Amino acid sequence: MGDLHLEAIYKEFPSHRVVDGITLTIPQGCFYSLLGPSGCGKTTTLRMIAGFDEPDRGVIKLGDRTLNGLRPYERPVTTVFQSYALFPHLTAAENIAFGLKRKGDPDTARKVKEALDLVQLSAKADRLPAKMSGGERQRTALARALVLQPEVLLLDEPLSALDPKLRKQMRLELKELQARVGITFLFITHDQEEALSLSDQIAVMNKGRLEQIGTPQEIYLTPATRFVAGFLGAVNWVGAIGVRPELTRISREAPGNGARVVEATVSSAMFLGDCFQVETKTPAGDSIVAQIAHGLGEFQRGERVHVWWHPHDEMAIPQ
Amino acid sequence: MKQRLLPLYVISIYAFLHLPLLILCAFSFNSSRFTIWEGFSLVWYKAMWNDGALAEATWNSLLIAAVSTVLATVVGTLGAYGLWKKNSKFLSGSMYLSLVTPEIITGIALLATFQWAFRFFHLQLGMHTVILAHVTFSIAYVLLVVMARLRTADPALEEAALDLGATEWQAFRLVTLPMLKPGIAAAALLAFTVSFDDYVITSLVAGVDSETLPMMLYAMARRGANPVVSAISTVIFVGLGILIVASERLQKT
């Protein structure tokens, strides 16, 4: 057991450098997310940890054991694939038993039963993947990987194939499951909402490099780069200062008590259900969007207003 | 108007396709040896059953088809697997070439190859050359069917097997092969039928001891209308028809 260390990992494919010097430590028992847009190198990073690809340079360590050069079946790491990759000719129970049988585990039957219970699939044990719903497939894939009691569970966008409603439900289940089994989860996603709601720690990746590592709050509230600020949510930029639309206020009268104020003209106002989204233009040409609660009044197109926010809500990022 | 013409059109097409075979089939049950209907009889089927040379040719055909099917299925399946892993357009594309090469050219090429090889080995044309030739042209069919199955497979399946502790060999044997089973069975049936059917290539590379059923039928038919030929043809047609239907069924699962 131990923390998972990636030390100066590089990986190049014929067309381009996919992973460009990544160093990070994933603490044991942590729900850790690698967040980034598609093509940022996060899946390649996962594949190097699983052993499907080897890094060109750099060391992957689990505790003080080096994983480099070990075949996938020699690593104490299992994977939940984006496509689930369930064996189509095997039932749920047989899929879950596959890894235990390879290891010749004498306790296979009991462990499979426990794993099925863990993901609430006992009633579907004899179903083939083709006869399962998306959520059931997902749970089978989870149980199949967890039953081997890996030291690290790798999850490659495991929720992306589900419809939005089911995705939210599985998100909750995933979080509870991780708390129960206590295994390190490395979660790969491009969905910032997923990463924010699930993770203890997030590493944001872009173009093969790490942009920032931190807790969800740190990453959202004090992003280190413009990329991170923009990838995690909408930002209004006023010079080097950024402020989130939901923290931006609009009023007809000038606010007091130390608020930062910009005068602007309303260019559009949209009702979004839970709030109004008001877009304004400053004389300098910057566009500032504010999301304001219903109680704070309605604004008309062309109206001159004061756009303001509290200085402690500012994100100062050097360009 | 349109409603009435369409069934007529369909019937004409099916008649155009199947009428010759139906006529052949009908006359195999005719008691006369000429193409005038004189009453139902199984006399030609009896004659077929008692013909020793015919039995030998049938045995040859079945043996050649069975052996070449086994060999072509093994080689073709491994080849399809390799091409799938390699993912090379050029290598896969070149396999289709042997499907569109005219049979007569394949036959002549094989004959030339065998004759060249016989300079080094003291061998003659015979069963073994027919089997080799059949393996050669059946492989492309096996590849085609197995590749079609692989193309719809999730490439992550083998990785998942490795991830769960299987070695490369176990991943192939326990995951890929079972997944391919229906495709392999369909490919084998197809290989069997193309081998059993073949006349052009077989007649070029056969020796004295390896006359096949199609070769014999061809020789008999050349000598004039013979209801025994009709009877055999009917039996083959029905037999192969069953195999093709079985192969289609397997490809769907």
Side-chain angles (χ1 to χ4, degrees):
Chain A
M1 298 297 261
D3 302 345
L4 180 66
H5 303 280
L6 304 188
E7 290 164 16
I9 301 290
Y10 290 84
K11 179 72 184 175
E12 221 163 304
F13 286 137
S15 51
H16 62 301
R17 181 171 283 173
V18 188
V19 175
D20 196 7
I22 281 190
T23 299
L24 55 84
T25 295
I26 299 167
Q28 186 183 326
C30 182
F31 199 122
Y32 200 101
S33 289
L34 260 186
L35 173 68
S38 62
C40 74
K42 58 192 192 297
T43 295
T44 305
T45 306
L46 172 136
R47 292 176 59 82
M48 289 190 285
I49 299 169
F52 305 134
D53 285 324
E54 278 294 323
D56 298 334
R57 269 186 288 155
V59 182
I60 301 174
K61 275 178 152 177
L62 191 54
D64 45 18
R65 289 156 297 162
T66 303
L67 297 186
N68 294 58
L70 293 180
R71 304 292 301 133
Y73 47 84
E74 296 166 328
R75 300 184 185 209
V77 168
T78 55
T79 309
V80 176
F81 292 83
Q82 189 170 12
S83 63
Y84 310 143
L86 295 177
F87 306 132
H89 59 294
L90 300 181
T91 63
E94 289 166 341
N95 262 285
I96 296 168
F98 186 91
L100 294 167
K101 283 191 182 158
R102 301 286 78 69
K103 291 179 168 50
D105 195 307
D107 230 4
T108 299
R110 184 182 59 82
K111 286 185 179 172
V112 169
K113 201 176 159 297
E114 280 175 10
L116 281 163
D117 283 342
L118 184 71
V119 295
Q120 296 148 41
L121 265 185
S122 303
K124 311 284 168 72
D126 298 322
R127 290 252 172 119
L128 286 172
K131 303 268 179 197
M132 294 180 200
S133 71
E136 286 163 7
R137 271 180 223 149
Q138 220 261 347
R139 292 202 196 114
T140 309
L142 262 171
R144 184 176 74 171
L146 279 172
V147 78
L148 295 176
Q149 293 175 310
E151 291 179 38
V152 181
L153 182 72
L154 306 172
L155 301 113
D156 187 9
E157 307 249 7
L159 304 178
S160 64
L162 303 175
D163 64 72
K165 209 172 154 192
L166 194 54
R167 200 180 304 169
K168 288 218 166 127
Q169 186 200 326
M170 286 307 296
R171 208 193 277 173
L172 251 150
E173 287 187 22
L174 210 54
K175 183 78 179 159
E176 280 172 16
L177 194 64
Q178 197 267 339
R180 216 171 333 147
V181 295
I183 291 171
T184 312
F185 275 32
L186 178 57
F187 185 81
I188 306 290
T189 183
H190 67 269
D191 184 323
Q192 83 285 356
E193 207 185 304
E194 238 167 62
L196 288 172
S197 60
L198 282 170
S199 318
D200 300 319
Q201 292 258 9
I202 300 176
V204 184
M205 270 184 89
N206 183 34
K207 294 179 181 161
R209 291 166 191 263
L210 284 175
E211 295 269 340
Q212 189 176 2
I213 299 174
T215 64
Q217 287 93 329
E218 283 166 356
I219 292 214
Y220 188 81
L221 299 174
T222 52
T225 64
R226 277 202 169 211
F227 174 83
V228 174
F231 194 74
L232 280 136
V235 190
N236 296 314
W237 292 106
V238 185
I241 300 292
V243 60
R244 301 263 179 217
E246 71 270 20
L247 299 173
T248 306
R249 306 270 177 273
I250 292 185
S251 56
R252 296 195 172 86
E253 294 82 36
N257 51 42
R260 301 284 165 91
V261 190
V262 176
E263 287 189 24
T265 311
V266 175
S267 52
S268 77
M270 239 189 295
F271 179 60
L272 294 186
D274 54 348
C275 65
F276 279 99
Q277 179 166 303
V278 182
E279 194 176 339
T280 63
K281 273 256 174 335
T282 66
D286 288 324
S287 167
I288 302 180
V289 177
Q291 280 172 358
I292 54 174
H294 302 144
L296 297 176
E298 284 179 39
F299 295 89
Q300 306 301 323
R301 206 183 126 95
E303 211 175 322
R304 307 247 331 139
V305 289
H306 300 273
V307 179
W308 58 275
W309 56 87
H310 294 294
H312 58 76
D313 288 334
E314 286 177 351
M315 306 182 282
I317 298 169
Q319 275 179 318
Chain B
M1 193 62 187
K2 200 175 152 196
Q3 253 71 22
R4 228 174 290 161
L5 277 180
L6 187 64
L8 197 70
Y9 178 70
V10 172
I11 288 167
S12 327
I13 286 183
Y14 275 79
F16 183 75
L17 282 174
H18 298 318
L19 204 56
L21 277 168
L22 286 176
I23 290 171
L24 181 85
C25 176
F27 279 109
S28 73
F29 294 107
N30 191 1
S31 61
S32 158
R33 71 177 298 115
F34 304 104
T35 46
I36 306 157
W37 186 255
E38 285 187 2
F40 181 84
S41 156
L42 290 173
V43 61
W44 308 116
Y45 285 87
K46 233 175 259 165
M48 171 189 88
W49 188 250
N50 294 323
D51 188 327
L54 205 57
E56 198 190 321
T58 309
W59 170 247
N60 282 349
S61 275
L62 287 174
L63 184 71
I64 290 163
V67 175
S68 61
T69 296
V70 171
L71 293 175
T73 304
V74 172
V75 175
T77 301
L78 292 177
Y81 181 70
L83 286 174
W84 178 62
K85 286 246 138 163
K86 194 93 195 147
N87 198 15
S88 148
K89 283 235 159 61
F90 172 74
L91 288 177
S92 320
S94 69
M95 287 322 300
Y96 292 90
L97 199 63
S98 79
L99 284 179
V100 297
T101 311
E103 264 196 279
I104 184 72
I105 293 179
T106 308
I108 291 168
L110 281 165
L111 182 61
T113 309
F114 288 141
Q115 278 168 346
W116 172 76
F118 291 160
R119 292 153 144 258
F120 311 104
F121 309 99
H122 287 283
L123 287 169
Q124 284 179 326
L125 292 176
M127 260 332 208
H128 51 280
T129 48
V130 176
I131 289 173
L132 267 180
H134 281 215
V135 171
T136 309
F137 68 71
S138 302
I139 284 175
Y141 291 93
V142 175
L143 271 167
L144 210 68
V145 175
V146 178
M147 287 279 271
R149 186 89 187 178
L150 279 169
R151 224 166 292 143
T152 61
D154 181 355
L157 282 180
E158 285 204 343
E159 284 179 352
L162 295 180
D163 193 61
L164 295 168
T167 61
E168 276 85 356
W169 167 241
Q170 286 174 326
F172 177 73
R173 189 169 55 87
L174 298 171
V175 173
T176 310
L177 213 51
M179 179 192 72
L180 288 179
K181 222 188 256 167
I184 294 171
L189 281 176
L190 189 64
F192 189 90
T193 52
V194 294
S195 164
F196 196 81
D197 275 355
D198 186 73
Y199 170 75
V200 178
I201 295 171
T202 313
S203 66
L204 281 164
V205 300
V208 279
D209 68 331
S210 51
E211 186 173 43
T212 63
L213 196 55
M215 286 167 70
M216 188 159 178
L217 282 179
Y218 185 76
M220 286 165 84
R222 293 276 308 233
R223 272 182 251 125
N226 182 344
V228 177
V229 173
S230 307
I232 305 163
S233 305
T234 304
V235 173
I236 295 176
F237 175 66
V238 171
L240 290 186
I242 291 170
L243 281 191
I244 293 288
V245 171
S247 157
E248 292 253 303
R249 283 266 170 88
L250 282 172
Q251 286 204 56
K252 261 179 225 149
T253 51

